[in-house]
Amino acid sequence: MIIKGLAYVVGDHVDTDQIIPAKHLVYRMDDPEERALYGKYAMSGVPDESAGLPHGNQPLVSSGAKSDYTIIIGGRNFGCGSSREHAPMALAEAGIEAVIAQSYARIFYRNSVDSGNVLPVESEQNLCMEIFTGDELEINMDSKEMKNKRNGNIHSLKSMDTVAEIVSAGGLFGYARENELIGDNGDEKDSTTAGRRHRAGSNAGSCENSDRCWYPGGFAV
């Protein structure tokens, strides 16, 4: 998987209310015009001085509902705060394809993957001071690297196992259907589940000490 585009850089501890403020959680999801408003207001809660680092005062979406940026660069604990599913959806509506951060809040990470809205990639180091808003980036998940075309620097990314495949399939249920883990009606195929769970890299014994486990209907992160 390769993702190319311009970077939008924020700092540490960007929470879900900054990603999409609560006052905008009023738009209908089944109405295209109202749904687009989630993209228009994505990242609008980030403080001005931290919006589009290093200089700040740069909104993710300048006009309309789509951003000129494709990749968000964050620091530690990206997506902390409340567990609203609207956060990754708002980013996707704005045109964001991937977030690169040193670490994530678990619920935001799971919501991003399960919905297939954005690819949440972990970087080996904090890149907030290494990459500037507007830098042209190329993410290569096969080589687990990201290249900054402004200066040629290569940054290492952490392996995602099957997570990238789930997002590419459009989310958890899309991935399960592609791999015949569930039928078209969403029912789990009991006769073949065990073998395919092993293939996907899950721990069939217990989820208590694992970041990746199964629940009825498919593979959860």
Side-chain angles (χ1 to χ4, degrees):
M1 177 186 291
I2 294 178
I3 298 175
K4 301 178 181 179
L6 300 182
Y8 184 80
V9 185
V10 292
D12 296 328
H13 309 295
V14 173
D15 63 43
T16 52
D17 196 54
Q18 293 175 346
I19 295 173
I20 182 68
K23 64 182 180 181
H24 296 301
L25 303 180
V26 296
Y27 311 121
R28 291 177 53 184
M29 302 288 289
D30 59 352
D31 183 308
E33 291 186 2
E34 289 198 19
R35 185 183 177 96
L37 294 174
Y38 284 103
K40 178 178 181 178
Y41 295 113
M43 304 298 284
S44 62
V46 176
D48 290 343
E49 63 272 16
S50 301
L53 297 174
H55 303 298
N57 295 290
Q58 176 62 54
L60 177 69
V61 180
S62 298
S63 61
K66 294 294 183 181
S67 175
D68 294 329
Y69 307 101
T70 305
I71 301 164
I72 288 179
I73 302 296
R76 296 170 294 161
N77 200 28
F78 188 92
C80 56
S82 66
S83 59
R84 63 189 60 164
E85 299 91 344
H86 302 76
M89 182 273 294
L91 296 180
E93 284 296 311
I96 298 300
E97 297 182 21
V99 178
I100 310 292
Q102 189 176 21
S103 63
Y104 292 87
R106 180 181 176 85
I107 295 178
F108 174 86
Y109 189 93
R110 290 186 62 170
N111 285 340
S112 298
V113 176
D114 289 356
S115 66
N117 279 309
V118 294
L119 184 68
V121 186
E122 287 184 286
S123 56
E124 292 287 355
Q125 64 185 86
N126 196 323
L127 300 177
C128 295
M129 303 299 291
E130 302 290 330
I131 296 173
F132 298 165
T133 294
D135 282 355
E136 186 177 358
L137 306 178
E138 179 175 314
I139 300 169
N140 188 324
M141 291 310 305
D142 294 327
S143 63
K144 297 186 288 294
E145 293 179 333
M146 179 174 65
K147 181 177 182 179
N148 187 338
K149 294 187 177 182
R150 174 175 60 85
N151 51 25
N153 288 345
I154 303 292
H155 303 282
S156 297
L157 306 174
K158 294 184 179 180
S159 176
M160 300 192 72
D161 298 324
T162 56
V163 168
E165 296 177 31
I166 295 173
V167 174
S168 181
L172 184 64
F173 287 101
Y175 175 84
R177 291 190 181 95
E178 282 187 3
N179 290 272
E180 299 181 358
L181 300 170
I182 58 174
D184 292 336
N185 61 358
D187 293 333
E188 187 172 5
K189 293 187 176 181
D190 294 332
S191 62
T192 57
T193 296
R196 290 196 176 97
R197 283 180 182 175
H198 177 73
R199 184 183 67 188
S202 68
N203 181 343
S206 172
C207 293
E208 292 180 0
N209 297 314
S210 174
D211 286 336
R212 296 178 173 85
C213 58
W214 280 87
Y215 62 87
F219 182 72
V221 180

